[in-house]
Amino acid sequence: MLPAACLLMMCCSAAAQPAPRIDMAAPSAQADTAATESARVSNAALAAKALQLNGVERFSVEPTYSMVTWEVRHFATSTTRGRFLIRGGQIVLDKTGKQADVSVDLDIASISTGLPDFDESLRGPRFFDVAQFPDARFEGRTLRFEGDRLVEVAGDMTLRGQTHPLTLRTSGIRCYVHPLRGGEYCGGDFEGTISRGRYGMNFGWPFVGDNVRLLIQIEGVRMPQPASAGSGAASATATALPGSR
């Protein structure tokens, strides 16, 4: 056995050894790139500004950034929520004539509440009947402004083969230049209410409410102006957008 003095000297010597140096000052190239991209995205978000309509403006709906959330009261207690995806669409806005040619297609078969069995029930004939009506469409025709700010889009909602008026309210539209894709994107949040009974979905009433609140988040990329574009009515220029019909 080693004498106690030798053991003490060995312990002291080990304790005196410097700890390994860890360099925290040099991030990896991957981390540096990620930080740069994050900064670009943040700057783009901060640069978002209110849409300034000049004559007729055209947008192609971007499904990646668009969807519809719906809400309905359940037994007058809580609120049941779900969502639909948006397939795409076109938006033509004419501030001068206060007209619009808005066509947004909803993928009703994509309905999701987070409960698979409930989703299947909602897809069935008692509710949305997606076997016959897999899609819905909102078509906007009239705009209302407060000053320069768009506050309403009035039009029609087609669902389960029936069409009824629907007005969507908004706090306005803002735009930004996409830092990764390029191009100018504009969008906003819209809200409206439909009666499910008017579209033939009476099952569960009055235990499940009749009024369904629609919360629509939508963005679109601004399309270039046609060479012959003027300030005429939006309906006369709708064919300039890809996929218009």
Side-chain angles (χ1 to χ4, degrees):
M1 295 182 60
L2 292 174
C6 292
L7 288 174
L8 181 59
M9 292 177 62
M10 291 173 64
C11 292
C12 291
S13 175
Q17 295 296 322
R21 181 174 181 271
I22 300 176
D23 189 357
M24 301 294 290
S28 66
Q30 183 178 3
D32 186 56
T33 301
T36 301
E37 295 299 332
S38 177
R40 289 173 60 191
V41 171
S42 298
N43 289 338
L46 290 173
K49 57 185 180 181
L51 170 66
Q52 297 295 320
L53 288 174
N54 298 307
V56 178
E57 299 285 358
R58 302 163 178 79
F59 305 88
S60 179
V61 174
E62 173 51 69
T64 305
Y65 304 137
S66 306
M67 73 174 59
V68 178
T69 300
W70 54 265
E71 301 179 344
V72 64
R73 295 288 286 171
H74 183 254
F75 281 80
T77 54
S78 62
T79 300
T80 298
R81 295 179 174 86
R83 68 179 186 177
F84 305 113
L85 300 180
I86 290 179
R87 292 190 186 277
Q90 62 165 11
I91 299 173
V92 182
L93 304 177
D94 176 9
K95 181 180 179 182
T96 303
K98 292 183 171 54
Q99 296 180 359
D101 189 344
V102 176
S103 179
V104 178
D105 293 320
L106 283 61
D107 181 4
I108 300 301
S110 71
I111 190 168
S112 175
T113 63
L115 301 170
D117 290 343
F118 186 33
D119 294 344
E120 285 304 311
S121 176
L122 291 173
R123 293 187 184 103
R126 295 185 301 186
F127 291 102
F128 291 99
D129 196 2
V130 299
Q132 295 191 64
F133 310 105
D135 303 307
R137 170 176 287 190
F138 173 74
E139 295 181 307
R141 295 289 177 261
T142 306
L143 307 176
R144 187 170 74 84
F145 290 84
E146 290 183 357
D148 289 333
R149 183 169 62 89
L150 177 65
V151 294
E152 280 187 355
V153 179
D156 297 301
M157 181 75 165
T158 300
L159 176 66
R160 293 184 97 248
Q162 301 185 43
T163 301
H164 298 288
L166 174 62
T167 296
L168 299 178
R169 301 174 299 279
T170 180
S171 59
I173 299 177
R174 297 181 68 81
C175 304
Y176 65 96
V177 176
H178 201 293
L180 304 179
R181 297 184 176 187
E184 185 176 13
Y185 284 70
C186 298
D189 293 324
F190 293 78
E191 178 181 339
T193 301
I194 63 172
S195 160
R196 66 186 182 96
R198 295 189 70 185
Y199 292 95
M201 291 184 285
N202 294 305
F203 182 81
W205 189 87
F207 307 110
V208 178
D210 180 61
N211 289 332
V212 180
R213 183 186 181 202
L214 303 178
L215 302 170
I216 304 169
Q217 62 180 74
I218 192 162
E219 292 188 22
V221 60
R222 190 194 293 263
M223 305 299 292
Q225 293 281 10
S228 59
S231 58
S235 58
T237 59
T239 54
L241 274 181
S244 62
R245 33 184 170 165

